Amino acid sequence: MPDAGQAAPQRRQCLCIDLKSFYASVECVDRGLDPMTTNLVVADLTRTEKTICLAVSPSMKALGVPGRCRVFEIPKGIDYIVAPPRMARYIERSADVYGVYLKWVAKEDIHVYSIDEAFLDVTGYLSLYGCTARELGERIRSDVFATTGIPATCGLGTNLYLAKIALDITAKHSPDFFGELDEESYRATLWNHRPITDFWRIGPGISRRLAAMGVTTMGQVAMSPEDALYKEFGIDAEILIDHAWGIEPVTIADIKGYRSKNRSFSSGQVLACDYEFDDALLVAKEMAESLSARLVEEGLDATGIAVWAGYAANEDERYLIRLSIERHQRLAPGDGGSRRFSSPTSSARRFREAVTSIFEERVDRTRLVHRLGIGVEGVVPHEASGTQLELFVDQQEAEDELSRAQAVNDIRHKFGKNAILKGMDLLPNATARERNATLGGHRSGE
């Protein structure tokens, strides 16, 4: 409580801005079309009609088409444009939007949450611009549209969580696409909102566990005995309880100041068709090479590597998967394993050897492989202090390999990732060449 005569502390004012159907809007604007009235989907039809749409335009959503449907699920009576993904263009446009934010707010008060969504803490800017937080949010949103042609939705809250909820639940159902919440209005208007999965960080799994406790709304979470919540969710119950009351102590400054104690890198892909063991191992080796190149580029080494292979489902498993979908569960048959290195390394040769060893020991040769994942952990700077050298490794040979890898990275930076390829990358079922032409697993458009 402030002393008598002392002004109460100013409530924090946070914006959460989302670019509406971002990929689809970019494609519409680049074609001179209105994103709000044009039927357009972003999808790579070279992957067949089973491919997932990366985005559908707002007018498609108004017709009941979900944002992440598969192409064949779009009703046949709807006429629409199909735009192939251009990830490089979307990154460029996202940077343009960030440039607009910087016209209004310093980078220290901006947290980019995703390619199409960002948080802005505008608390300290209201006196500068002589307006309310809502007015400033409208100005920024209008500037984004005037500069890029991309429409945006905005949520305003007294903390980051409420700004996100104001965006996800309030703004997206508001005629003017602007939502506003504080702790009191959140409890008054959303405590009985269903489904509970509409709330940030509550997915189907948490929802099922809450339902088993007889809890289906955030208001019921707030009124539930805390001991029962901690027993079910452990330390995560603290976040759940705070959010039920509309409380979020973390600020953008906290996010920017956070440094993880451990680092890891991972890569995964769904294969275009089901692969035999040897072909799947080939792709896993390519993925290991790619992770090695990434570590070399950043001057890092890894202390361990892990591989996972997901099998194509057989008839019995397909039946169980259908049942599991009805029960909102997942069934993903697969095998994998991990290896620790005797000392940190970024050697592509050692990565390949470890991947091969894991595959031969853990992956079923009789099963077709549909998905692959690979990751490295315990990432540390190269030649970090305290790193123990291996007695049975030729250090000169290791340094020569590192120098070659750095030279290859330099050439690829200048001439493209496919400028230098290994022989295995030219084999019929290799995927590296195709993936080198993508961003985030999708076509770059370049």
Side-chain angles (χ1 to χ4, degrees), residues 12 49 63 68 120 135 144 154 193 213 223 236 251 272 360 388 398 406:
R12 194 162 293 280
E49 286 195 341
L63 295 173
R68 298 286 288 176
L120 288 72
E135 289 170 340
V144 169
C154 187
H193 177 88
M213 302 170 63
M223 296 297 124
D236 288 341
T251 65
E360 291 177 345
Q388 180 178 352
Q406 291 169 335

Side-chain angles (χ1 to χ4, degrees), residues 196-305:
I196 198 170
T197 49
D198 282 350
F199 290 85
W200 194 26
R201 298 189 79 253
I202 296 186
I206 292 177
S207 174
R208 286 195 301 273
R209 293 163 69 184
L210 287 171
M213 302 170 63
V215 175
T216 59
T217 68
M218 290 302 269
Q220 291 172 344
V221 173
M223 296 297 124
S224 295
E226 291 192 3
D227 289 346
L229 292 171
Y230 275 99
K231 182 178 179 180
E232 177 64 29
F233 296 102
I235 190 64
D236 288 341
E238 183 176 345
I239 299 174
L240 187 60
I241 294 167
D242 276 355
H243 286 180
W245 288 95
I247 297 170
E248 177 53 74
V250 174
T251 65
I252 289 179
D254 294 328
I255 295 171
K256 290 185 175 293
Y258 174 77
R259 297 293 181 270
S260 174
K261 294 180 180 179
N262 298 306
R263 295 187 65 187
S264 62
F265 294 85
S266 62
S267 175
Q269 61 176 298
V270 177
L271 302 171
C273 61
D274 300 334
Y275 273 32
E276 299 280 356
F277 177 92
D278 289 338
D279 289 330
L281 175 56
L282 165 67
V283 175
K285 289 180 180 179
E286 287 186 314
M287 295 167 71
E289 288 269 352
S290 178
L291 281 180
S292 167
R294 184 176 174 187
L295 291 178
V296 169
E297 181 178 3
E298 298 194 27
L300 301 171
D301 289 334
T303 60
I305 190 168

Side-chain angles (χ1 to χ4, degrees), residues 292-293 296 346 348 400-410 412:
S292 167
V296 169
S346 59
D400 289 344
E401 181 184 1
L402 177 62
S403 295
R404 288 194 298 271
Q406 291 169 335
V408 168
N409 276 350
D410 290 342
R412 286 173 172 167

